[in-house]
Short mmCIF file of all heavy atoms in Angstrom, two decimals:
data_model
loop_
_atom_site.label_atom_id
_atom_site.label_comp_id
_atom_site.label_asym_id
_atom_site.label_seq_id
_atom_site.Cartn_x
_atom_site.Cartn_y
_atom_site.Cartn_z
N TYR E 542 2.49 -5.25 46.52
CA TYR E 542 1.81 -6.51 46.25
C TYR E 542 2.21 -7.51 47.33
O TYR E 542 3.38 -7.60 47.70
CB TYR E 542 2.19 -7.04 44.88
CG TYR E 542 1.61 -6.20 43.76
CD1 TYR E 542 2.33 -5.15 43.21
CD2 TYR E 542 0.32 -6.45 43.29
CE1 TYR E 542 1.78 -4.36 42.21
CE2 TYR E 542 -0.23 -5.66 42.29
CZ TYR E 542 0.50 -4.62 41.75
OH TYR E 542 -0.05 -3.85 40.77
N CYS E 558 7.13 -13.28 36.99
CA CYS E 558 7.79 -12.07 37.50
C CYS E 558 9.06 -11.76 36.71
O CYS E 558 9.95 -12.60 36.61
CB CYS E 558 8.14 -12.26 38.98
SG CYS E 558 9.06 -10.84 39.62
N PRO E 559 9.14 -10.57 36.13
CA PRO E 559 10.28 -10.25 35.26
C PRO E 559 11.59 -10.04 36.02
O PRO E 559 12.66 -10.07 35.42
CB PRO E 559 9.85 -8.95 34.57
CG PRO E 559 8.83 -8.35 35.47
CD PRO E 559 8.16 -9.47 36.17
N VAL E 560 11.50 -9.80 37.33
CA VAL E 560 12.73 -9.52 38.06
C VAL E 560 13.02 -10.58 39.14
O VAL E 560 13.83 -10.35 40.04
CB VAL E 560 12.68 -8.11 38.72
CG1 VAL E 560 12.71 -7.03 37.66
CG2 VAL E 560 11.45 -7.96 39.61
N ALA E 562 11.37 -11.61 41.70
CA ALA E 562 11.18 -11.12 43.06
C ALA E 562 10.36 -12.11 43.89
O ALA E 562 10.20 -11.92 45.09
CB ALA E 562 10.48 -9.77 43.03
N ILE E 563 9.85 -13.16 43.26
CA ILE E 563 8.98 -14.08 44.00
C ILE E 563 9.70 -15.40 44.24
O ILE E 563 10.34 -15.95 43.34
CB ILE E 563 7.67 -14.33 43.22
CG1 ILE E 563 6.98 -12.98 42.95
CG2 ILE E 563 6.75 -15.28 43.98
CD1 ILE E 563 5.65 -13.09 42.25
N ILE E 573 6.86 -12.30 48.21
CA ILE E 573 7.45 -11.31 47.31
C ILE E 573 8.53 -10.54 48.05
O ILE E 573 8.33 -10.08 49.16
CB ILE E 573 6.36 -10.33 46.83
CG1 ILE E 573 5.31 -11.07 46.00
CG2 ILE E 573 6.99 -9.19 46.01
CD1 ILE E 573 4.14 -10.22 45.58
N CYS E 578 11.00 -6.04 43.88
CA CYS E 578 9.74 -5.87 43.14
C CYS E 578 9.68 -4.51 42.44
O CYS E 578 9.95 -3.49 43.06
CB CYS E 578 8.56 -6.01 44.10
SG CYS E 578 6.98 -5.60 43.35
N ILE E 579 9.32 -4.51 41.15
CA ILE E 579 9.21 -3.24 40.42
C ILE E 579 7.74 -2.84 40.23
O ILE E 579 7.41 -1.92 39.48
CB ILE E 579 9.91 -3.31 39.05
CG1 ILE E 579 9.39 -4.51 38.26
CG2 ILE E 579 11.42 -3.36 39.19
CD1 ILE E 579 9.68 -4.44 36.78
N LYS E 580 6.85 -3.56 40.88
CA LYS E 580 5.43 -3.22 40.91
C LYS E 580 4.79 -3.21 39.52
O LYS E 580 4.00 -2.33 39.19
CB LYS E 580 5.22 -1.88 41.61
CG LYS E 580 5.81 -1.95 43.00
CD LYS E 580 5.78 -0.68 43.75
CE LYS E 580 6.41 -0.97 45.10
NZ LYS E 580 6.39 0.14 46.00
N CYS E 581 5.17 -4.18 38.75
CA CYS E 581 4.60 -4.23 37.40
C CYS E 581 3.19 -4.82 37.42
O CYS E 581 2.43 -4.63 36.49
CB CYS E 581 5.49 -5.06 36.49
SG CYS E 581 5.46 -6.80 36.90
N GLY E 582 2.85 -5.54 38.48
CA GLY E 582 1.49 -6.06 38.60
C GLY E 582 1.23 -7.34 37.82
O GLY E 582 0.10 -7.82 37.79
N GLN E 583 2.25 -7.90 37.20
CA GLN E 583 1.99 -9.09 36.39
C GLN E 583 1.59 -10.28 37.23
O GLN E 583 0.77 -11.10 36.82
CB GLN E 583 3.22 -9.42 35.55
CG GLN E 583 3.46 -8.39 34.48
CD GLN E 583 4.36 -8.91 33.40
OE1 GLN E 583 4.03 -9.85 32.70
NE2 GLN E 583 5.52 -8.30 33.26
N CYS E 584 2.19 -10.41 38.41
CA CYS E 584 1.83 -11.54 39.27
C CYS E 584 0.35 -11.43 39.65
O CYS E 584 -0.38 -12.41 39.67
CB CYS E 584 2.71 -11.56 40.52
SG CYS E 584 2.71 -10.02 41.44
S1 LIG F 603 4.55 -6.91 40.85
FE1 LIG F 603 5.85 -7.54 39.14
S2 LIG F 603 7.92 -7.32 39.93
FE2 LIG F 603 6.58 -7.30 41.71
S3 LIG F 603 6.49 -9.42 42.38
FE3 LIG F 603 4.75 -9.12 41.00
S4 LIG F 603 5.52 -9.75 38.99
FE4 LIG F 603 7.33 -9.44 40.31
#
Side-chain angles (χ1 to χ4, degrees):
Chain E
Y542 290 93
C558 176
V560 292
I563 303 183
I573 296 175
C578 172
I579 53 163
K580 303 176 180 184
C581 69
Q583 291 199 63
C584 54

